[in-house]
Amino acid sequence: MATNSDGARNTKYVTMISGDGFEFVVLREACLLSPTIKGMLRGSFSEAKTGRCVFPEITGPVLEKVVEYLYYYHKNVNVPYVPDMEIPVELCLVLLEAADYFQLDKQMT
Amino acid sequence: MASRANRIRPIRRPIMNREVSEFEPCWDLLRDALVDIHTKNAGRLSFEQLYRASYKIVLRKKGELLYERVKGFEEDWFRQHIMPSIAGLVTNNIVNMTLLQHAGTSASERRQTGERFLRGIRDAWEDHNMSMNMVADILMYLDRSYTVESKRPSIFAATIGLFRDHILRDTVPSVAEQLQRDFMVFDILNTVIVDLINMERDGDIVDRNLIRKITSMLEDLYETDEEIENQKLYLRVFEPCYLEASRQYYRNECEKLLREADASTWLRHAQQRLKEEQDRCGTTISILTVNKVAGVVEDKLVKARLSDFLAMEGSGLKVMIDNDRLEDLAILYQLLSRVDGTMAPLKHALQGRVMDLGLVIEKTVRNMDFSVNGAGSGQADADEAADGIDKSKIQPLTAAAQQTAAAIKWVDEVLQLKDKFDNFWSNCFNKDLVLQSAVTKSFSDFINAFNRSSEYVSLFIDDNIKRGAKVKTDAEIDVVLDKAIVLLRYLSDRDLFERYYQKHLARRLLHNKSEIDTEKDMVSRMKSEMGNHFTIKFEGMFKDMELSRDLGENYRDHIRQLGDVDTKKVDLGIHVLTTNNWPPEVMGRGDGGRVDCIYPPAIKRLQDSFFKFYLKDRSGRVLTWVSSAGSADIKCTFPKIAGKESGPLSKERRYELNVPTYGMIILMLFNDIDEDESLSFGEIQGKTSIPPLDLVRVLASLSIAPKAKVLLKHPASKSVKPTDKFSYNTQFVSKTIKIKAPTISSINKVEGDEERKETEKKNDETRAHIVDAAIVRIMKQRKTLSHTKLTTEVITQLQARFKPDVSLIKRRVEELLYREYLERVDGEPATYQYMA
């Protein structure tokens, strides 16, 4: 794989932007849980170069919940007996869809 | 809350509602992206957009179509853009060089051409690999759902495999036509790499990184798109080819070395090659091959002509051993332990060498003339071990002393040989147990093949203990004794050794020739090595000595209390010896009964007095005086010679003369006669009853040797004859006050052939009794036993002491049958029964 010497490549944080313009600055390490984002950031595509990932078809609240989950997982990855994350009922369906998109549905081991 | 719940639909609907017709726009987007990726313009593309495009296609169940489209696109791309450039690499030069094996091109030319070709392949591969990784990333969702569900190879495997199918396994049609035969680019690739590696083996410098890139490419590619782990192209195609080429290379090299070099070079070369190949696997080829290629080198370079190299004149194993080439041997051991765990060639060679060198020692010792100064100089390794002999070489030696020197020489040489092989063993052979036992066995074999080894070992110990006390430090003696024990371990006829040692020890003890501590130390070593029964007699001898000392002191105290005037003249030092512990020679039991000699009255009184004292506490015991083993200190006065006014003869001379007991008896005879009278041999014998042989010896020492010539012999000649007459030598002069009459009997020396036969005969008699006892013991326990089983058991039981002859056992069995300890069992041949 070609190495890209862009400044954004190894920054500690990346920015995730929802379709309706909400921006979330997220720890890169936490983001890499999602294979989708991981693929996005490792190639030589524009996201990898700029460190900005735009998700036009995902709304702010959903992306917020996704980011919350990424942190939740990142923080508790090795902790036994973690309390469940709170998911509002009305977001359930759309979050399932987002999980599929981010390929976060089969990660849990 | 309710308003939020409404938002679920607006997101889902747009995705789901766009119809099938959306495939084409999505694919167009993706196709353009693929072109950009191949042309390295991916930087302007949004991963998210492309991912989303493929995501949507897959969600609409168009995965298969996408899969085919991508594969088709890549194949087209390959055909149009990559294959032509590869075909361009397959130049006439490279074809000549690899497929046709044309000679005549120089190595550097070949290297340049080869490396150019490899570089082309590498560049194409790196581009392809990178692109395919990116493609696989944007099509991640396809792999995740469609490929998994349809059980097809991942899109990455399918596209990366194109490189295998369309480059490596493909041919270049124009060239194939020209050559009139089929070939694959793969063939060229393999040949080029192997050629480059061979150049490196020959000492050229090649681009290792480049080759490593190519081999890691082969490691990344598989036979099929299923990517089964053990089907890497590297393992399936390249490695066999590489190993075959290596085999070829090393076979040739081995033959060349055999023709041109010596074993030492070969060893170092092989070691170097093994290391090189290992390094090469790390830097140039692949770590996967490391053991296999090592196997090839071991097989072709080491094992193939091993025996030829080891047998090489002037540098083979023989020379390595003889010249102590430790490094060579160490390398040899390392190489052999790689190819053959049993070490068979080395083992046999070592054993053979030990045997040969052992026999050489025996032969040199036998042929060496110890009477001439510097006799050992003809031998390569006559060194410090022989210095004991050098010392005694100052004067011409008597025959007996020569023999003894030979014995010591033999032991020294054997010990040196042992040191030599021990040195090999610990420094070169990694203390290998197999080799140790093999060498030990050979040592034992040749030592036991030499029929005087028991006697020689005992003499060696004798010499070192006697001389050692004067010349060497305790630590040195310690080392020597340790070595002696080592030799002892090899001896199988331990009973014979015991007999000799007993004899030698007896002489040392009685004549006070050694430090008692050293003796005890030695015996305790033997005890721990050979067991208690072996040293019982020796310990008994020590005990006798100690008891005798106490007894002597007590007796002197006793006499002092009595105030007996007469005994002041004679001081008695006595050794009371227990018959069984001491060798028969010393005890005078040797040749058919003891001859009691007639003691002078003064001595006789002393004997009686002591005997009385002795029996006071120990009634019922019998003391026998062994006159042949004792000695006496005599104070004698030689009166002034009339008419001599100057010189020593003008004064009265007093000397202390140390003589054997017999000598004392004889000299005391002359006290009773006048100065000018003489006694004939016969008269002396008649008055003393000393056995003629001993008498000759004693008279010789008193009348011939100038040092203690206190008697005059008529006629004066060099030997004593029964017709000679003896008289008092009034003119005797000596520079020292204390004089020791030279005696022959107190020196431990090698036996003459006669004596030796005698010893062996006695030993055989003892053995016969031991065998008898063993047979009876076994039969008593078993009641009935076959001859073969009996023989085996007897041998097992007696092994620690000696190796009984089968014929001896048979004779003893017959004897026991005759004496009705055993009987034959009716109807069963060769089976015996114990008779109670």
Side-chain angles (χ1 to χ4, degrees):
Chain A
M1 200 150 292
T3 46
N4 197 321
S5 55
D6 283 338
R9 179 150 290 271
N10 285 314
T11 51
K12 201 173 173 193
Y13 293 93
V14 291
T15 312
M16 291 168 71
I17 301 144
S18 71
D20 45 3
F22 289 94
E23 296 198 359
F24 301 88
V25 177
V26 191
L27 198 60
R28 178 186 289 269
E29 215 182 313
C31 285
L32 297 184
L33 176 68
S34 156
T36 308
I37 302 175
K38 197 173 174 182
M40 204 174 275
L41 292 174
R42 80 177 154 209
S44 47
F45 296 98
S46 62
E47 285 91 341
K49 289 186 169 177
T50 58
R52 290 173 69 85
C53 308
V54 188
F55 302 99
E57 297 194 8
I58 295 180
T59 58
V62 177
L63 194 56
E64 183 185 11
K65 213 63 191 169
V66 169
V67 170
E68 189 188 334
Y69 175 74
L70 291 174
Y71 271 108
Y72 168 82
Y73 186 90
H74 181 71
K75 196 178 89 188
N76 295 319
V77 65
N78 287 322
V79 184
Y81 311 117
V82 184
D84 285 345
M85 206 178 102
E86 197 184 312
I87 308 277
V89 179
E90 66 278 15
L91 277 181
C92 278
L93 214 52
V94 74
L95 272 176
L96 273 178
E97 208 179 322
D100 184 47
Y101 173 86
F102 283 108
Q103 303 181 45
L104 287 169
D105 48 350
K106 289 178 193 164
Q107 289 293 310
M108 311 314 146
T109 49
Chain B
M1 289 294 267
S3 63
R4 271 189 170 186
N6 288 339
R7 280 192 195 159
I8 295 169
R9 289 179 191 278
I11 289 175
R12 280 189 60 178
R13 285 234 166 101
I15 297 170
M16 298 306 290
N17 283 351
R18 285 175 212 166
E19 277 311 312
V20 185
S21 58
E22 250 197 27
F23 176 80
E24 287 304 334
C26 283
W27 165 244
D28 288 344
L29 188 71
L30 284 171
R31 195 193 53 222
D32 291 346
L34 292 183
V35 174
D36 281 338
I37 286 172
H38 277 293
T39 51
K40 301 187 176 155
N41 279 327
R44 61 185 187 81
L45 298 173
S46 156
F47 179 92
E48 200 277 340
Q49 196 184 12
L50 300 171
Y51 175 80
R52 188 150 38 88
S54 67
Y55 172 73
K56 283 178 184 168
I57 291 173
V58 175
L59 279 187
R60 293 208 184 82
K61 306 286 176 211
K62 294 287 181 195
E64 187 176 358
L65 189 58
L66 179 61
Y67 191 94
E68 296 302 336
R69 286 275 175 95
V70 171
K71 213 176 159 199
F73 173 86
E74 288 300 336
E75 279 172 18
D76 285 347
W77 182 270
F78 228 81
R79 204 162 295 125
Q80 287 163 25
H81 297 92
I82 299 178
M83 286 169 66
S85 70
I86 297 295
L89 289 172
V90 185
T91 57
N92 281 339
N93 264 349
I94 199 112
V95 169
N96 284 341
M97 217 174 80
T98 54
L99 298 174
L100 302 177
Q101 299 282 352
H102 274 182
T105 39
S106 74
S108 71
E109 211 175 308
R110 286 214 314 282
R111 195 186 70 230
Q112 278 167 13
T113 320
E115 285 184 355
R116 198 178 309 126
F117 175 76
L118 292 186
R119 231 170 272 130
I121 298 278
R122 180 197 64 191
D123 292 346
W125 162 255
E126 281 182 349
D127 286 352
H128 184 65
N129 190 27
M130 192 181 74
S131 305
M132 289 313 107
N133 270 304
M134 291 169 75
V135 169
D137 275 351
I138 57 173
L139 298 180
M140 203 186 290
Y141 199 80
L142 176 69
D143 271 347
R144 214 168 95 86
S145 52
Y146 166 72
T147 344
V148 174
E149 281 157 25
S150 64
K151 298 201 164 53
R152 296 182 72 164
S154 75
I155 194 77
F156 179 77
T159 51
I160 204 83
L162 292 171
F163 200 84
R164 170 194 65 227
D165 295 336
H166 293 284
I167 292 185
L168 297 180
R169 285 188 180 160
D170 209 352
T171 185
V172 179
S174 59
V175 181
E177 213 169 283
Q178 199 182 323
L179 290 171
Q180 309 259 311
R181 72 170 205 202
D182 280 341
F183 72 93
M184 288 196 288
V185 174
F186 215 149
D187 298 334
I188 299 178
L189 185 72
N190 284 341
T191 321
V192 166
I193 298 178
V194 163
D195 198 33
L196 285 174
I197 298 287
N198 281 346
M199 284 180 208
E200 195 189 38
R201 283 173 180 151
D202 287 338
D204 279 0
I205 291 169
V206 300
D207 188 344
R208 292 179 168 188
N209 271 337
L210 177 61
I211 300 175
R212 177 70 195 124
K213 282 270 163 55
I214 300 288
T215 53
S216 67
M217 166 186 92
L218 295 176
E219 278 187 72
D220 288 344
L221 289 171
Y222 296 80
E223 289 267 27
T224 60
D225 288 343
E226 269 78 46
E227 307 206 330
I228 300 162
E229 190 55 33
N230 60 4
Q231 289 190 349
K232 290 182 174 183
L233 286 183
Y234 178 84
L235 294 174
R236 285 302 191 88
V237 183
F238 174 74
E239 196 180 57
C241 172
Y242 176 68
L243 291 179
E244 181 49 41
S246 305
R247 239 170 254 136
Q248 186 75 36
Y249 184 87
Y250 285 115
R251 190 182 303 130
N252 292 339
E253 180 162 274
C254 186
E255 295 299 326
K256 192 172 153 220
L257 281 170
L258 191 60
R259 280 194 310 275
E260 295 171 3
D262 59 8
S264 176
T265 320
W266 164 70
L267 282 174
R268 283 175 178 70
H269 195 80
Q271 192 189 35
Q272 174 70 18
R273 282 298 194 198
L274 278 168
K275 193 177 170 301
E276 273 175 26
E277 287 300 336
Q278 191 183 349
D279 292 349
R280 182 166 294 121
C281 284
T283 58
T284 319
I285 306 294
S286 161
I287 212 76
L288 293 173
T289 312
V290 71
N291 291 330
K292 293 173 209 166
V293 78
V296 167
V297 180
E298 285 159 11
D299 211 41
K300 295 298 163 199
L301 195 57
V302 180
K303 217 166 158 185
R305 307 305 291 264
L306 179 64
S307 48
D308 292 325
F309 279 111
L310 291 185
M312 266 188 168
E313 201 72 36
S315 68
L317 192 52
K318 181 169 176 287
V319 178
M320 291 178 205
I321 292 173
D322 291 359
N323 296 347
D324 291 319
R325 293 198 179 150
L326 296 183
E327 207 185 324
D328 285 7
L329 286 168
I331 299 174
L332 179 64
Y333 176 80
Q334 283 160 18
L335 291 180
L336 281 181
S337 53
R338 301 180 71 123
V339 301
D340 180 7
T342 65
M343 291 281 149
L346 185 58
K347 195 171 88 184
H348 293 314
L350 283 174
Q351 284 189 311
R353 220 44 219 137
V354 170
M355 280 307 265
D356 290 351
L357 290 173
L359 294 178
V360 166
I361 292 175
E362 194 187 322
K363 220 167 118 194
T364 1
V365 166
R366 189 170 289 160
N367 296 339
M368 205 184 262
D369 185 2
F370 286 95
S371 62
V372 184
N373 218 343
S377 62
Q379 236 201 332
D381 49 351
D383 54 8
E384 102 268 15
D387 63 3
I389 297 161
D390 289 339
K391 205 163 288 162
S392 49
K393 268 183 211 148
I394 295 163
Q395 300 162 340
L397 299 173
T398 61
Q402 284 174 37
Q403 281 282 307
T404 309
I408 291 158
K409 173 89 178 153
W410 181 82
V411 174
D412 272 333
E413 296 262 328
V414 171
L415 284 176
Q416 271 179 56
L417 192 64
K418 166 82 181 145
D419 278 351
K420 183 185 176 94
F421 280 89
D422 276 352
N423 188 18
F424 293 160
W425 180 67
S426 52
N427 290 330
C428 310
F429 301 153
N430 199 20
K431 308 205 170 180
D432 189 290
L433 290 179
V434 177
L435 292 180
Q436 188 192 28
S437 62
V439 169
T440 305
K441 190 178 169 304
S442 298
F443 264 97
S444 166
D445 282 353
F446 92 76
I447 289 175
N448 287 312
F450 180 52
N451 57 11
R452 292 199 153 179
S453 45
S454 304
E455 187 184 358
Y456 278 13
V457 172
S458 177
L459 263 180
F460 172 79
I461 299 172
D462 181 69
D463 182 71
N464 273 294
I465 289 182
K466 275 199 308 204
R467 249 176 349 104
K470 298 172 210 152
V471 185
K472 297 180 180 174
T473 65
D474 283 357
E476 280 171 333
I477 295 178
D478 223 41
V479 172
V480 175
L481 296 188
D482 263 346
K483 286 176 173 175
I485 290 285
V486 168
L487 282 184
L488 211 49
R489 234 174 265 160
Y490 292 130
L491 291 178
S492 62
D493 290 340
R494 290 182 182 167
D495 57 337
L496 204 57
F497 172 80
E498 188 183 349
R499 187 173 287 274
Y500 282 115
Y501 195 78
Q502 188 188 30
K503 195 169 123 188
H504 296 155
L505 177 62
R507 293 227 175 100
R508 288 200 298 274
L509 289 179
L510 291 181
H511 295 276
N512 220 356
K513 294 269 178 142
S514 55
E515 296 277 338
I516 191 77
D517 290 342
T518 320
E519 295 283 8
K520 281 189 174 163
D521 184 29
M522 184 68 203
V523 167
S524 75
R525 278 170 211 236
M526 285 187 200
K527 191 171 176 176
S528 60
E529 194 66 34
M530 329 274 252
N532 276 338
H533 70 101
F534 189 79
T535 52
I536 285 173
K537 286 184 179 175
F538 306 152
E539 279 164 357
M541 288 160 85
F542 292 145
K543 205 168 173 197
D544 280 350
M545 294 301 288
E546 269 165 40
L547 286 178
S548 302
R549 208 183 49 229
D550 294 347
L551 195 64
E553 272 166 25
N554 291 344
Y555 175 68
R556 271 190 288 280
D557 291 347
H558 166 78
I559 294 299
R560 222 167 283 141
Q561 280 160 16
L562 283 184
D564 195 328
V565 194
D566 197 27
T567 46
K568 276 178 186 163
K569 277 174 76 181
V570 186
D571 191 17
L572 178 69
I574 191 154
H575 297 304
V576 180
L577 312 179
T578 315
T579 316
N580 278 337
N581 291 341
W582 295 75
E585 295 86 349
V586 170
M587 302 302 285
R589 280 183 282 128
D591 315 302
R594 185 188 0 262
V595 188
D596 275 333
C597 61
I598 301 165
Y599 294 97
I603 303 299
K604 190 76 188 147
R605 272 200 302 283
L606 183 68
Q607 286 178 341
D608 290 343
S609 142
F610 178 77
F611 191 47
K612 233 191 286 166
F613 167 77
Y614 185 73
L615 283 188
K616 245 185 357 191
D617 298 330
R618 310 164 181 78
S619 62
R621 299 237 186 144
V622 175
L623 279 184
T624 313
W625 298 87
V626 185
S627 44
S628 56
S631 67
D633 292 322
I634 305 174
K635 284 182 184 159
C636 42
T637 315
F638 294 85
K640 178 180 168 184
I641 305 279
K644 296 269 178 186
E645 294 307 324
S646 63
L649 292 177
S650 62
K651 286 173 274 182
E652 192 180 76
R653 292 142 286 147
R654 288 172 186 277
Y655 298 119
E656 259 178 51
L657 197 54
N658 178 276
V659 293
T661 312
Y662 286 144
M664 174 212 38
I665 298 171
I666 296 166
L667 289 179
M668 285 180 83
L669 288 179
F670 288 88
N671 272 351
D672 299 337
I673 58 168
D674 286 337
E675 269 183 32
D676 44 0
E677 273 183 81
S678 64
L679 289 171
S680 72
F681 187 88
E683 280 170 322
I684 294 175
Q685 204 195 341
K687 287 189 177 187
T688 59
S689 313
I690 295 173
L693 261 173
D694 290 326
L695 187 56
V696 167
R697 212 178 293 156
V698 175
L699 283 173
S701 83
L702 293 174
S703 65
I704 295 172
K707 195 175 143 198
K709 195 172 175 178
V710 292
L711 295 181
L712 287 175
K713 190 167 81 72
H714 313 283
S717 64
K718 284 284 176 195
S719 63
V720 175
K721 295 184 193 67
T723 52
D724 290 344
K725 287 185 161 204
F726 300 88
S727 65
Y728 181 46
N729 179 10
T730 50
Q731 315 229 335
F732 178 75
V733 175
S734 169
K735 279 175 191 158
T736 52
I737 302 288
K738 286 195 171 176
I739 305 161
K740 187 163 167 32
T743 49
I744 306 146
S745 60
S746 67
I747 299 171
N748 283 329
K749 59 174 195 291
V750 172
E751 297 177 320
D753 287 341
E754 290 287 310
E755 279 177 289
R756 175 163 182 76
K757 265 185 211 141
E758 192 63 29
T759 311
E760 273 178 2
K761 209 182 96 198
K762 277 183 216 147
N763 203 45
D764 284 347
E765 279 165 22
T766 320
R767 282 187 184 183
H769 294 309
I770 295 171
V771 172
D772 279 355
I775 293 173
V776 170
R777 216 163 34 234
I778 293 163
M779 289 308 291
K780 197 168 182 176
Q781 192 188 357
R782 300 296 187 90
K783 303 299 178 208
T784 318
L785 212 56
S786 76
H787 181 78
T788 0
K789 276 190 184 158
L790 179 59
T791 313
T792 329
E793 283 222 19
V794 170
I795 292 175
T796 331
Q797 277 208 0
L798 298 181
Q799 222 157 28
R801 312 186 65 179
F802 60 94
K803 281 206 180 101
D805 247 7
V806 178
S807 63
L808 173 68
I809 298 174
K810 191 151 187 282
R811 274 203 309 280
R812 296 324 298 169
V813 168
E814 275 159 17
E815 175 74 19
L816 288 170
L817 283 169
Y818 174 73
R819 279 153 55 188
E820 299 192 329
Y821 280 92
L822 306 177
E823 62 177 357
R824 292 185 194 276
V825 176
D826 289 337
E828 281 179 74
T831 303
Y832 311 115
Q833 194 170 344
Y834 181 69
M835 292 172 78

